[in-house]
Every structure is written in structure tokens, then in C-alpha cells.
Amino acid sequence: FFRPCPWAQSTMECTCFLVKPDAYAQREVILQHIRRNQFFVIESKEVHFSQVLAAQFYAPLHADPQYEALVAFLCSGPTLALQLSKVRAVRVLGLLVGPSDPDKARAEAPGALRAIFGTDPIRNAVHSSANPQEAKRELGVLFPAASAKQLDTQGYLQRALLPSLVDGLSSICRSKGADPHQLLQQWLRMNGPAPEPNYPRAILPGHLLYQDRIRDIDALETSKSMPGAWNFRRSKEGPQVWGSGQCDGPGLTQVVEELTTAGCETVVVWSLREEPVVYVRDTPFGLRQADRVEYAIPDLCTHDSAVLQSMGHRLVEDILEESAASGQVEAWLQVERDRGERAPIVKYNFEDLAEADVRTLSEKCQDVYEETGVDVVVQYCPIPRFGLWTSYDLVTLCRTLKEVHSQKVGHLFQCQTGICRTALAMTLAHAVLQLIHNPIALPKGLPIDESSPSLQAGEWKAVQALCKLLPNGYSLKALLDTSIDSCDTAFNLRDAILDCRNNSQEPNKHLKANTPSSWAARFPDIDRGVDFWIQYALVFLERYCTLLLCLAWVHEALPTNFSISYGQWINQRPHLLWPLKELQLI
């Protein structure tokens, strides 16, 4: 029943909190504020700081003009030190504590602890960790790690069990299932501590580290104002569904801030790619073969999200090992490309790479959270370029959308370019969210006039057949078309089918695309040939039919919380695949 909750994974944090000497006498009152804000006190102790211990604690501030005064004051009397745990503990405690200058705190946050108990920037009553890295360092100074056997019963519960169980218990309370004990067993099985990612073999040797961003990748005007986030857009109406290409580091930060401006408090980043991606000094890279830089490497593509994450960690490890061994890592960047021609690439050497320079997508999103304070979490949902998606995990996507269908949660879908697969995933999510909001009231779908079908409306023979075979088939098609139109800023699936078909009939006339968002509009001056246009027309028609089948599955599986996967559902209904056996552009 439970899958890992992408908006809750890795959200429990530990942080360091001090009640300084000037407020030590009021420590019980301050602790009441801590408990009222639902922090777990994992460990606490009274500390009498020596000069050495205080200098170690304030080591990052050594160059600060107030460093000596801070050290001297911390040594002036007893201090209460606490290790606290809570969802996003660092951020929440920072808001509770307030600005370091009590006067500023009284002006901006009069209810903050420093506003109530502080005197000046040195005697400001309390201390909290500035970020998760500092929290880890400070806790290491004051609370050296103890083995589980050294902890008493309460300490073992608070330190070893409680932080990880809170997410599971919260999920159970949200679902309000009939058998909570069974749900807890299932949650623990799905969300137990994961082993360290360990892909069994090196994947960098023999391959090119190839920059994701290529020339002419931008299809939208919005890319001009956000150069690091190509093809970034939102659905025109309805749920908070967003899409983009594989943003660089600053671009990802810009995108998250834009979603925050739109009212999102949490951003779920859905990675649609089947290949590992890493960030090297804020630039996203994939792996390519020297003679096929336009395409992902088949051997490194997978629909298993756990394997995909493991490969990403292994690629980071390979890059750092190569840098340590040779002092540099070769990467390949595209600098120029004529439309229709293979992209010329140039070599660039990254020198002296540190661990912080090379990040997986999950780690990069964690960096963005620490920079912006916005909850940013990653979910891997690889979608294939071709095929019916029957072996791919759509259950996690749909269950997540069901549990967090709030306007305060933004769903950001990303592939390399941010065009085709991103538009397909946005369309599916948009339609699923509409079904979740109102599973009974499907839009009214009218039967297709088979004597005079509208190809512009997607009324192809295969689509007609599916609408007849599926319960509520015409209504599901109407829902799909509504979502396609709402998410078509960069790509319209119906138009892509028709444009490719038209270009195959008159390839030498280079027919103009019906809309600027159509896929065929990306090739205005290329004679690709009849076979090219027919192939892609059939590919896009297959994708249209696949989305229609996915919505039929969602509509049936939604009441049971997707207890049956899309692949299982299709396998039980083989007759639904007959219209797709021999697709024709009629």
C-alpha cells in the first residue's frame, strides 16, 4: 500500500540548540517554547565551555570581528545544549529563534526567542544551527556519536527509532486505513533504512561526460529570462503542474523560487530520465558514446528508480576517482550546431574537483533547499521514449499525486530537453489530479463520427477503437484532450501527430506546423524524408493511445489506491492492445 513518500523522504533533521549563559536561568521557559513547537529532545546536557571547546564550536566564525567576544561569553557560565529533531528542524528552529540581533528580532519577529530573552548580538540568549551541515558539525562537537548499546532505553528510542518513525506514523494518520498495524508493517518494509548505493561496476570509463544543454534547446520565450532553466512553464489552468528541461544549478534555484511565488510550499521534482545524471560545478551532464552523442546509452537506461539512483551515486564516485587520479576530468560541450546536423562538440577539462563540486540530482535539490528554505524533494519516475509503459512504475506517481493534491505542492517534471516526455508527464499528472479531485464527474465525451473524423481532434482509427473498447472511453478522451491543451505550451501531442503525417505526404513543401508548440515546428528547414515523418507520427499516435489507456487504468484503480499496477491491468485486458498492433495514420 505504502510507497516511499517523496515529499517526506529525508525530511527529518537533527539540529543543535543552545541556551546561553545569559538565559540559562530561564531555560525551563525556553524549553516550553521548544516543546510547544513539537521538537523531539533527543539529548540534552549542561555544558561548561572551555576556551578550547568554545573555539572549536565557533570555528567557522574565526574571521568574524565578534569571534573573541562570542567565545568569551560562551565560557562565562553554564550553557544548556540540546540535540533536537523535527521535520525540517534547522529551518523551523531558525524561525523560532529569530535574527541574531535581538533589536532586529523585536522589529521583525517579536515572538522569537531572541526578541523575548536577548539583549544584544553577543548576549542573544540562544543559538541554533545555520544549516544542516553546521548542525552536523556542531552536534559532533557537543554530542559525539554513541553506539546503540551505550544508549539507555529512552535515548535509544529517541535517537535510533523515533525520528524515522514519525514519517511513517504521519503517513498512516493521513491514510486513516482500517488496519493501521498492517499499514505500519508495510510502511516499514517499503521505507526501512536503505543500504548505501553501490552500483557494481564503474560506468564512466569508455563514455563521454556530455553536457545536457545543447544549442537551440530553448523552445520558449521564458528561457530568455531564466537562462539556466530551459523550456520552463506551467499548465495553463488547474493543478500546480510544471515542466522544464534539466536545469543547471542556478536555474533550478530560480525555478523553485518561481514555484514559491506561485504559492507552493513544497516542490516535488520528478526526474523522467532513464539514465543517470550528475551536476559538475552546477552543470548537468549525462553519459554518451562518442559516435552517438544525441542518444542515451541503452546499457545505462533503466526503469528501476533504485538502480537509477545507485548509478548516479556511482557516476559521482567515478568522476571523483578520475579527478583524484589524473587531476582533471574530461567533459564534452556542444558549442555550435546546424539544424539537422550532428552537434560538434569540444573538450573541456574540469580540474581539481572536490566532493562538493559533483552532485547527484537528489543532492543538488538538497543544496537548493538549504539555499532557499523551500522543501525540494526528488522522485525518480523514468518514462521511455517509445513503448506502452507497461513495465514502468506509474503507481508511485499516481499514489503521490493522490496523497498530496494540494495547491501548496508543486509538481515539476523534468527530462533533458523539457519538451516531449515532460509534456507527456505533465499531461498525465494534470488529468490524474482532475480525476482525484472529482473521480465521478468525468467530462462529457461525444461519440466520434466515423464517417467524418477530425484528425485535428485526434480522432484516428486506433483512438476510435479504444474509445469503443474502454468504459467511459469518449469521456476519458475528452479529459485527455483537455489536459493536452492545458499543458501544450512547449509541445502539443495531437498537433505533433498531424504535423508529422502532413509532412510525410508533402515532404518537399515543408508544411508549417499548426501551432508554435508543435514538435514538427522544430524542423522548419529540414527535408527529413517520408520515412522520418511517418515514424514519428506513429510514435506520437502510440503515445496518445498510451495516455488514454493510462487514464482508463487510473479511473478504475483510483478507488483501491492503485492496488493493481498499470502493467498488470493491461495484461488482464489483452484485447485493449489490438488497436495498437498495426497503427495506421488514418
Side-chain angles (χ1 to χ4, degrees), residues 222-344:
T222 55
S223 299
K224 294 181 179 178
S225 60
M226 300 178 68
W230 49 95
N231 299 321
F232 172 59
R233 74 276 192 187
R234 179 189 175 178
S235 53
K236 298 172 186 174
E237 56 187 21
Q240 292 262 26
V241 179
W242 305 72
S244 76
Q246 193 77 56
C247 309
D248 63 22
L252 186 58
T253 300
Q254 283 185 295
V255 164
V256 169
E257 290 173 341
E258 184 71 19
L259 267 68
T260 304
T261 302
C264 299
E265 296 179 359
T266 298
V267 177
V268 182
V269 177
W270 295 90
S271 178
L272 306 174
R273 298 173 69 170
E274 301 172 279
E275 58 177 328
V277 179
V278 294
Y279 283 77
V280 183
R281 290 182 179 156
D282 274 338
T283 300
F285 285 87
L287 288 177
R288 296 290 183 268
Q289 293 173 335
D291 58 341
R292 289 174 61 85
V293 295
E294 297 93 344
Y295 304 100
I297 301 171
D299 290 345
L300 297 181
C301 289
T302 177
H303 57 79
D304 188 318
S305 59
V307 173
L308 199 57
Q309 294 178 68
S310 177
M311 287 168 54
H313 284 279
R314 183 55 192 253
L315 182 53
V316 168
E317 184 180 320
D318 291 350
I319 292 170
L320 292 173
E321 287 180 357
E322 176 69 19
S323 179
S326 63
Q328 63 183 24
V329 175
E330 289 184 355
W332 297 84
L333 318 176
Q334 182 188 15
V335 288
E336 294 291 340
R337 174 169 70 89
D338 295 327
R339 287 188 179 273
E341 300 297 328
R342 176 173 292 176

Side-chain angles (χ1 to χ4, degrees), residues 29-351:
V29 179
I30 293 174
L31 284 177
Q32 289 178 13
H33 285 265
I34 294 296
R35 293 189 180 101
R36 277 201 300 268
N37 282 271
Q38 299 179 334
F39 283 92
F40 297 104
V41 180
I42 294 177
E43 194 169 353
S44 66
K45 64 181 179 181
E46 182 180 305
V47 180
H48 293 267
F49 278 89
S50 65
Q51 284 286 131
V52 174
L53 185 60
Q56 186 180 2
F57 187 80
Y58 279 131
L61 301 178
H62 190 270
D64 192 297
Q66 296 182 318
Y67 170 75
E68 293 185 2
L70 288 167
V71 170
F73 176 64
L74 202 56
C75 296
S76 66
T79 296
L80 181 63
L82 298 98
Q83 179 178 358
L84 302 178
S85 178
K86 182 181 172 69
V87 173
R88 301 303 194 200
V90 173
R91 178 188 176 196
V92 176
L93 185 61
L95 295 173
L96 178 61
V97 164
S100 58
D101 184 342
D103 289 335
K104 184 178 180 182
R106 282 185 276 272
E108 297 180 359
L113 295 178
R114 283 170 175 156
I116 299 171
F117 301 102
T119 304
D120 58 48
I122 302 297
R123 294 180 292 275
N124 59 3
V126 294
H127 165 87
S128 68
S129 303
N131 55 58
Q133 285 75 24
E134 273 300 289
K136 184 177 181 180
R137 188 193 66 81
E138 292 169 355
L139 292 172
V141 171
L142 297 178
F143 299 99
S147 70
K149 291 184 178 180
Q150 293 175 308
L151 298 173
D152 60 21
T153 301
Q154 185 173 356
Y156 180 78
L157 172 66
Q158 292 180 327
R159 179 179 289 193
L161 289 177
L162 195 56
S164 60
L165 281 176
V166 168
D167 286 342
L169 296 174
S170 299
S171 297
I172 292 168
C173 291
R174 281 195 299 269
S175 69
K176 296 182 175 63
D179 188 348
H181 296 94
Q182 182 183 9
L183 296 181
L184 180 58
Q185 290 178 352
Q186 293 171 338
W187 189 92
L188 289 171
R189 187 168 59 250
M190 297 301 299
N191 295 271
E196 281 293 312
N198 183 24
Y199 196 68
R201 60 185 175 88
I203 58 178
L204 177 61
H207 299 133
L208 302 179
L209 196 61
Y210 188 69
Q211 184 183 22
D212 269 349
R213 181 163 193 159
I214 57 177
R215 189 172 179 267
D216 297 327
I217 200 173
D218 302 321
L220 301 176
E221 288 294 318
T222 55
S223 299
K224 294 181 179 178
S225 60
M226 300 178 68
W230 49 95
N231 299 321
F232 172 59
R233 74 276 192 187
R234 179 189 175 178
S235 53
K236 298 172 186 174
E237 56 187 21
Q240 292 262 26
V241 179
W242 305 72
S244 76
Q246 193 77 56
C247 309
D248 63 22
L252 186 58
T253 300
Q254 283 185 295
V255 164
V256 169
E257 290 173 341
E258 184 71 19
L259 267 68
T260 304
T261 302
C264 299
E265 296 179 359
T266 298
V267 177
V268 182
V269 177
W270 295 90
S271 178
L272 306 174
R273 298 173 69 170
E274 301 172 279
E275 58 177 328
V277 179
V278 294
Y279 283 77
V280 183
R281 290 182 179 156
D282 274 338
T283 300
F285 285 87
L287 288 177
R288 296 290 183 268
Q289 293 173 335
D291 58 341
R292 289 174 61 85
V293 295
E294 297 93 344
Y295 304 100
I297 301 171
D299 290 345
L300 297 181
C301 289
T302 177
H303 57 79
D304 188 318
S305 59
V307 173
L308 199 57
Q309 294 178 68
S310 177
M311 287 168 54
H313 284 279
R314 183 55 192 253
L315 182 53
V316 168
E317 184 180 320
D318 291 350
I319 292 170
L320 292 173
E321 287 180 357
E322 176 69 19
S323 179
S326 63
Q328 63 183 24
V329 175
E330 289 184 355
W332 297 84
L333 318 176
Q334 182 188 15
V335 288
E336 294 291 340
R337 174 169 70 89
D338 295 327
R339 287 188 179 273
E341 300 297 328
R342 176 173 292 176
I345 55 177
V346 297
K347 183 172 72 173
Y348 178 85
N349 290 327
F350 284 106
E351 298 181 350

Side-chain angles (χ1 to χ4, degrees), residues 492-561:
N492 186 294
L493 183 56
R494 286 194 320 273
D495 288 347
I497 303 169
L498 188 57
D499 290 337
C500 290
R501 183 255 202 180
N502 290 344
N503 283 2
S504 73
Q505 292 181 338
E506 299 182 86
N508 296 323
K509 292 189 177 181
H510 309 300
L511 297 179
K512 293 183 179 179
N514 293 322
T515 67
S517 64
S518 177
W519 181 82
R522 301 178 63 203
F523 307 98
D525 303 316
I526 304 173
D527 184 2
R528 289 279 184 168
V530 172
D531 290 343
F532 172 86
W533 294 114
I534 291 177
Q535 176 190 356
Y536 274 93
L538 292 172
V539 165
F540 293 138
L541 179 55
E542 182 183 65
R543 289 177 176 176
Y544 187 96
C545 294
T546 297
L547 287 176
L548 186 56
L549 289 170
C550 284
L551 290 184
W553 162 69
V554 170
H555 191 243
E556 285 193 30
L558 181 60
T560 64
N561 199 38

